[in-house]
Amino acid sequence: MELHDVWFVLIAVLWTGYFFLEGFDFGVGILTKLLARDRTEKRVLINTIGPVWDGNEVWLLTAGGATFAAFPEWYATLFSGFYLPLLLILVCLIVRGVAFEYRVKRPEENWQRNWETAIFWSSLLPAFLWGVAFGNIVRGVKIDADMEYVGNVWDLLNPYALLGGLVTLTLFTFHGAVFTALKTVGDIRERARALALKVGLVAAAAALVFLMWTQVESGDGESLVALVVAVAALVVALVAVRAGREGWAFALSGVTIVAAVAMLFLSLFPNVMPSSLNEDWSLTVTNASSSPYTLKIMTWCAAVATPIVLLYQGWTYWVFRKRIGTHHIAAEASH
């Protein structure tokens, strides 16, 4: 296997890790409007992801940085062609981080309500837009012979990509509801499980259609295996939720995300951005990659840094592993 193939796999792993981890905290952010009944319950939801949400975003920074270094042509075409949706995602992530920190800085109800609304929308929009973006990457976009995107933003809003956005939105919300049930106690835990069942059914239907569409258009035998794993894991996750086995449900919803993202990358390879104008103009792991020397240096750096990052992030989750409930929120902290 060539180094550019290795880095395609590593970038796929980084995006998979990002969607697995950021997926549930996007879902929790969405649930602050859909699940929480009062300010104390919103505080409980935010506290479930409070110690980890910023660490989850490191995976996005690493994925973007790795793409820039390993596949500069891919990075340039992607970020220029998808400029508006990616800018909107970036703004949402900035607002979301500020909202988490500033919400409790003042006691006024309007102040807190406005930041809670910001948390909801800055979680919902990226959850939807990431699906739209990856749907277009897999489907192919208007790339010319100079490796430049020549379409417009409206070309990105096609049925396949919009369905991809619906899949990520519902799947992340399901993932977040299961995580909430896993991390909380009391009435909010029961309502999270009930909501997870409802959202999970919608996610299962949308994911089945989207993944089957992907398989028909660009799949192979390996992507078909990933499709079967994704759908089966989601179905069993729903069964586990109904049985009250939140740990298994969360693990299986994670397997669903991992398998679904793996299927997209398997369908994409050896392309990194197919051209819908001419197959010969597609960006591939070969024509979009950096020099072998650059990839070699990157590989050594990744081999040293990656285990350290995984260890400290795993330690963070271990330290904050206990369930919380409304009784853990001091009266003054819920305002």
Side-chain angles (χ1 to χ4, degrees), residues 174-298:
F174 171 71
H175 199 38
V178 174
F179 180 78
T180 299
L182 178 64
K183 287 288 293 179
T184 58
V185 295
D187 182 57
I188 193 170
R189 175 188 178 189
E190 299 301 321
R191 284 186 280 117
R193 284 166 49 188
L195 183 60
L197 284 173
K198 296 175 183 177
V199 176
L201 290 173
V202 178
L208 179 61
V209 174
F210 179 73
L211 295 179
M212 287 296 295
W213 191 344
T214 304
Q215 180 64 27
V216 170
E217 291 289 330
S218 55
D220 56 17
E222 293 177 343
S223 64
L224 179 60
V225 172
L227 184 157
V228 172
V229 171
V231 174
L234 184 52
V235 171
V236 180
L238 287 168
V239 174
V241 170
R242 187 175 179 83
R245 303 297 297 272
E246 293 100 343
W248 280 104
F250 181 70
L252 288 164
S253 67
V255 170
T256 300
I257 292 174
V258 170
V261 177
M263 182 192 174
L264 295 183
F265 277 95
L266 287 169
S267 301
L268 189 60
F269 186 81
N271 295 320
V272 293
M273 282 191 78
S275 172
S276 60
L277 301 177
N278 188 324
E279 289 185 4
D280 294 334
W281 297 345
S282 297
L283 301 184
T284 68
V285 292
T286 304
N287 65 20
S289 69
S290 294
S291 67
Y293 180 75
T294 300
L295 296 178
K296 185 177 181 180
I297 296 298
M298 289 175 60

Side-chain angles (χ1 to χ4, degrees), residues 121-179:
W121 286 108
S122 61
S123 299
L124 185 148
L125 287 175
F128 176 75
L129 290 173
W130 279 127
V132 173
F134 271 82
N136 278 292
I137 291 173
V138 174
R139 171 179 176 267
V141 292
K142 295 179 179 179
I143 300 173
D144 65 12
D146 296 322
M147 298 185 179
E148 295 181 0
Y149 177 71
V150 293
N152 57 54
V153 68
W154 302 112
D155 293 327
L156 302 178
L157 302 179
N158 54 81
Y160 176 80
L162 292 174
L163 178 58
L166 177 63
V167 170
T168 51
L169 175 59
T170 55
L171 190 56
F172 290 172
T173 305
F174 171 71
H175 199 38
V178 174
F179 180 78

